[in-house]
Amino acid sequence: MSSITLPAPAPTPLRQDAAVIGLVGMAHGVSHFSQLLLPPLFPWLKDAFGASYTELGALLTIFFVVSCVVQTVSGFWVDRFGPRPILFAGLALIGCAALGFAASTSYAMLAVFAVVAGIGNGVFHPVDYTLLNRKVHKSRLGHAYSVHGITGSLGWALAPAMLVPIAVASSWRLALVGAAGVAFAVLALLLLRRHDLALPAAEPAPAPAPGKPVAEESRFEFLRIPAVWMCFAFFFFHAGALSVVQTFAPGAAAQLHAVPLQWVALCLTIYMVCSASGMLAGGFLAVDPERAERIVGAGFGLAALVALAVALLPMPAWLVPVMFGLMGFVTGTAGPSRDLLVKRSTPDNATGRVYGVVYAGLDIGQAVAPLIIGTLMDHGAWQGVWLSLALLQGVLIVTAFRVRKVRRTVLAPA
């Protein structure tokens, strides 16, 4: 008996995919924006509350620890209730946290609202990737991941660019009220366009073979997939490398190569802008999922060479911002392919849970790295900071290919 070949499902309209990508991207920008609500205002908060920088830094530790826990748990919520209500709740909590920061009259109140902000931030990766993977046609996923990464970088860039001028012109409290306005404005837009974020009905599970017992899959079965934990490790080290770049690398490079003080902040700005440009290019490179690991390996391999050059070679001060830009671009090109590593390792029925666990590695890495690299800074080991960055980038190459090796390991029946 001849078999019948069913036609492949038609791709979703470009306009529909673009709407989903744009809405999810704006929400992701608010997530990154929320991570930098307080740091640009530290000079004002220090005076207002008589707090040390260590105490202010502890607010970020609270934020990321809470975000890590919520990110893991929210994956289960997304798979059970759907991503849309969880996304709306996250945006609302970030807006409320910004208003709470603005109204705070004590350090303890800041700590309470850091918890609220961490809860809000923790839902985004499981929500975002569930929406993109379920609603965007697979031929456009590389571009979707590219836009997702770019909007995150723009969210990081927007926070200091918006908050500091308002604080200088008026007050830090008004700056945080403005930040709340950003979160609530995006929430209002998403509520108006909520039909674009509705998930299609899930396909029914195939019927079991006659006489074969039906085994109920545990909600935690995905934790037995080795590729899930390898992806977790990848994002842990990736967050460590990003934390070094954002927090310590500019200052260490300034000490190594006599970079003028006014150029130090410029180094990070150049890195983020070039990273966003690299993500745009990386969206085209990620069209073929089969080469995802090679693109990630090449991107972070080149970044490691840049880090080694900054650490070991003499160079004029003007070249240091250029090296930051080069490193940002090559790591940015790896971004969409990095997200494909997780997509290709995720069972279709556990998208939220897998992304919740995997991306918790980001929060843990951002909490751990400053403790280690900060010690090198305290001891004046400027070269050690950049060598550590190169080491982390090298580990990312190995980890990416390990993901490929262990991907979709077949689970033996329990």
Side-chain angles (χ1 to χ4, degrees), residues 21 47 58 76 108 160-161 170 175 210 217 223 246 252 269 298 306 319 335 365 372 375:
I21 293 169
D47 292 337
F76 292 84
S170 180
E217 183 186 3
L223 294 175
Q246 290 183 325
T269 301
V306 172
L319 186 57
I372 299 172
T375 302

Side-chain angles (χ1 to χ4, degrees), residues 90-412:
L91 287 167
L93 285 171
I94 287 174
C96 290
L99 289 178
F101 286 140
S104 292
T105 56
S106 68
Y107 179 85
M109 288 184 67
L110 290 176
V112 168
F113 287 107
V115 172
V116 176
I119 295 172
N121 181 69
V123 308
F124 283 91
H125 282 122
V127 163
D128 292 356
Y129 286 106
T130 297
L131 286 168
L132 294 178
N133 291 338
R134 291 281 303 275
K135 291 189 66 69
V136 175
H137 191 263
K138 63 181 182 180
S139 65
R140 302 184 186 115
L141 272 179
H143 300 292
Y145 294 156
S146 174
V147 172
H148 189 258
I150 290 170
T151 54
S153 296
L154 293 177
W156 274 330
L158 175 62
M162 171 185 170
L163 298 176
V164 172
I166 296 176
V168 170
S170 180
S171 72
W172 63 269
R173 294 186 187 275
L174 186 60
L176 287 165
V177 171
V182 171
F184 286 128
V186 173
L187 173 59
L189 176 60
L190 266 59
L191 285 170
L192 287 173
R193 300 296 301 270
R194 58 188 177 276
H195 58 279
D196 289 318
L197 302 176
L199 283 185
E203 295 182 3
K212 185 176 181 180
V214 179
E216 183 179 355
E217 183 186 3
S218 166
R219 295 176 66 199
F220 297 93
E221 189 75 6
F222 74 97
L223 294 175
R224 296 177 58 203
I225 303 176
V228 169
W229 293 107
M230 196 57 62
C231 288
F232 173 91
F234 179 91
F235 279 92
F236 173 82
F237 291 111
H238 181 268
L242 181 61
S243 179
V244 174
V245 171
Q246 290 183 325
T247 310
F248 303 113
Q255 296 292 334
L256 284 171
H257 303 292
V259 179
L261 184 61
Q262 63 269 27
W263 291 9
V264 174
L266 180 64
C267 289
L268 185 55
T269 301
I270 292 174
Y271 178 92
M272 298 308 302
V273 170
C274 291
S275 176
S277 302
M279 288 175 189
L280 185 62
F284 293 93
L285 295 175
V287 170
D288 181 5
E290 294 299 322
R291 60 188 182 193
E293 294 85 2
R294 284 172 285 170
I295 294 171
V296 171
F300 285 106
L302 291 171
L305 291 177
V306 172
L308 287 173
V310 174
L312 302 175
L313 299 179
M315 60 181 61
W318 64 265
L319 186 57
V320 172
V322 176
M323 299 298 275
F324 268 89
L326 178 59
M327 185 166 58
F329 183 82
V330 296
T331 55
T333 58
S337 294
R338 172 205 70 185
D339 294 331
L340 279 177
L341 292 179
V342 187
K343 170 66 171 67
R344 299 180 69 206
S345 304
T346 303
D348 292 336
N349 62 344
T351 303
R353 284 167 280 169
V354 170
Y355 278 91
V357 169
V358 166
Y359 280 84
L362 282 175
D363 292 329
I364 297 174
Q366 285 179 302
V368 171
L371 301 177
I372 299 172
I373 307 301
T375 302
L376 295 176
M377 292 288 289
D378 288 337
H379 287 83
W382 322 120
Q383 194 175 61
V385 171
W386 279 88
L387 291 175
S388 298
L389 176 58
L391 176 62
L392 287 168
Q393 291 162 336
V395 171
L396 287 172
I397 301 171
V398 176
T399 310
F401 283 96
R402 286 290 298 168
V403 171
R404 180 178 186 175
K405 184 174 181 180
V406 303
R407 179 182 297 125
R408 292 194 182 276
T409 300
V410 179
L411 298 175

